[in-house]
Amino acid sequence: MFLVCALVDKSSEVRVDERIDGDATILVIHANPDDYGKIIGKSGRIIRALRDLMKIIAAKRNIYVDVEIAEDAPAVTEALA
């Protein structure tokens, strides 16, 4: 959450929910709609880097973690396509 808060303008609106799906832990990022572009980054580079970082940390602990952006985010599916 610290990294996401550092990326956005309205850090007080950032929330990261943890969802357990079998053996996997899914981290879902919720933020102000104006900040989703900063979290995704150009061509999805920022969100990809966040996912890679979390997977490296998780691998050291022998768990699986993935990072998602909340589905209520506007145009998220378009930006990640």
Side-chain angles (χ1 to χ4, degrees):
M1 184 161 140
F2 171 76
L3 291 173
V4 177
C5 286
L7 293 171
V8 300
D9 291 330
K10 299 175 183 171
S11 61
S12 63
E13 296 183 34
V14 173
R15 187 178 86 238
V16 179
D17 294 333
E18 184 178 346
R19 186 177 78 224
I20 306 297
D21 187 15
D23 290 338
T25 301
I26 312 296
L27 301 175
V28 183
I29 300 172
H30 300 269
N32 185 294
D34 296 334
D35 288 330
Y36 281 118
K38 292 177 179 147
I39 297 169
I40 295 169
K42 194 177 230 178
S43 301
R45 287 183 182 185
I46 302 296
I47 191 66
R48 236 185 329 231
L50 288 170
R51 286 178 177 144
D52 290 345
L53 180 62
M54 291 308 299
K55 287 179 183 184
I56 290 168
I57 293 168
K60 287 186 173 188
R61 298 178 182 179
N62 291 326
I63 58 175
Y64 178 80
V65 174
D66 196 11
V67 178
E68 294 180 356
I69 297 178
E71 291 184 15
D72 59 332
V76 167
T77 53
E78 295 172 16
L80 295 176

